[in-house]
Amino acid sequence: MSNAVTIEMTTTQVVDDQRDVSVQTYAGRCDIKNDVAILQYVEENQGQKSLVKLELRPDGCLMEMSGAMQRTMDFIPGKRTRTKLMLPVGELEFGVHTNSYRLDVIGQDTKHMQVVLKYYLYSGEDKIAENQLEICVKVK
């Protein structure tokens, strides 16, 4: 896969029966080594920039964000992990339970990847959100 890619991320979050869907498109890069794809792009939120790195493995996904917002989220199907979100106003801690994870590489020459990740966010033992993240990666 070429290093320069377009990354389309569709995020669906359900909180208290309220569904919110967001679609964002980023210019980024993708490097593949030993069956692991590393995606990198810059995300801007309220004028603040953060570097996002996604490590897509056959058995799960690791998301690391550095810059204005900092967090590390490890998505392992069937497991509950912990994450801390570092904000300018302080730190928030969440539990992340990954329900399902699918990584598809489509095309004879690896010209397209798709990831579907479903997970719950917890505050302590209370489920606060149901999330789905769909990532579509295409060569530029």
Side-chain angles (χ1 to χ4, degrees), residues 110-136:
T110 315
K111 299 204 182 287
H112 177 91
M113 273 193 295
Q114 185 173 13
V115 176
V116 178
L117 178 62
K118 295 180 182 181
Y119 63 98
Y120 295 141
L121 280 181
Y122 287 86
S123 176
E125 293 303 313
D126 298 325
K127 183 172 77 170
I128 57 172
E130 182 177 332
N131 297 289
Q132 178 170 306
L133 177 62
E134 295 179 56
I135 305 167
C136 183

Side-chain angles (χ1 to χ4, degrees), residues 1-137:
M1 179 176 271
S2 169
N3 282 353
V5 294
T6 300
I7 303 165
E8 181 180 282
M9 301 187 84
T10 303
T11 306
T12 304
Q13 184 173 62
V14 178
V15 177
D16 296 331
D17 295 325
Q18 293 283 341
R19 178 185 226 78
D20 181 41
V21 178
S22 170
V23 179
Q24 300 291 324
T25 302
Y26 303 99
R29 56 181 289 122
C30 179
D31 295 298
I32 300 176
K33 294 181 187 174
N34 302 326
D35 291 333
V36 177
I38 306 292
L39 299 178
Q40 293 184 55
Y41 63 93
V42 174
E43 181 177 291
E44 190 168 336
N45 190 0
Q46 298 178 350
Q48 302 288 323
K49 292 183 180 181
S50 298
L51 175 64
V52 179
K53 178 180 167 186
L54 288 164
E55 182 180 298
L56 305 173
R57 306 176 310 268
D59 64 342
C61 172
L62 177 69
M63 176 187 285
E64 298 176 319
M65 181 180 282
S66 59
M69 287 182 37
Q70 299 177 24
R71 73 172 173 225
T72 299
M73 297 176 82
D74 203 1
F75 300 98
I76 303 168
K79 304 268 182 179
R80 185 168 170 170
T81 59
R82 303 217 55 75
T83 185
K84 290 182 182 178
L85 178 59
M86 308 295 275
L87 301 169
V89 295
E91 177 181 290
L92 297 173
E93 188 170 324
F94 296 100
V96 179
H97 179 86
T98 304
N99 297 319
S100 65
Y101 169 78
R102 188 181 80 230
L103 170 62
D104 294 322
V105 179
I106 302 166
Q108 189 172 341
D109 298 318
T110 315
K111 299 204 182 287
H112 177 91
M113 273 193 295
Q114 185 173 13
V115 176
V116 178
L117 178 62
K118 295 180 182 181
Y119 63 98
Y120 295 141
L121 280 181
Y122 287 86
S123 176
E125 293 303 313
D126 298 325
K127 183 172 77 170
I128 57 172
E130 182 177 332
N131 297 289
Q132 178 170 306
L133 177 62
E134 295 179 56
I135 305 167
C136 183
V137 181

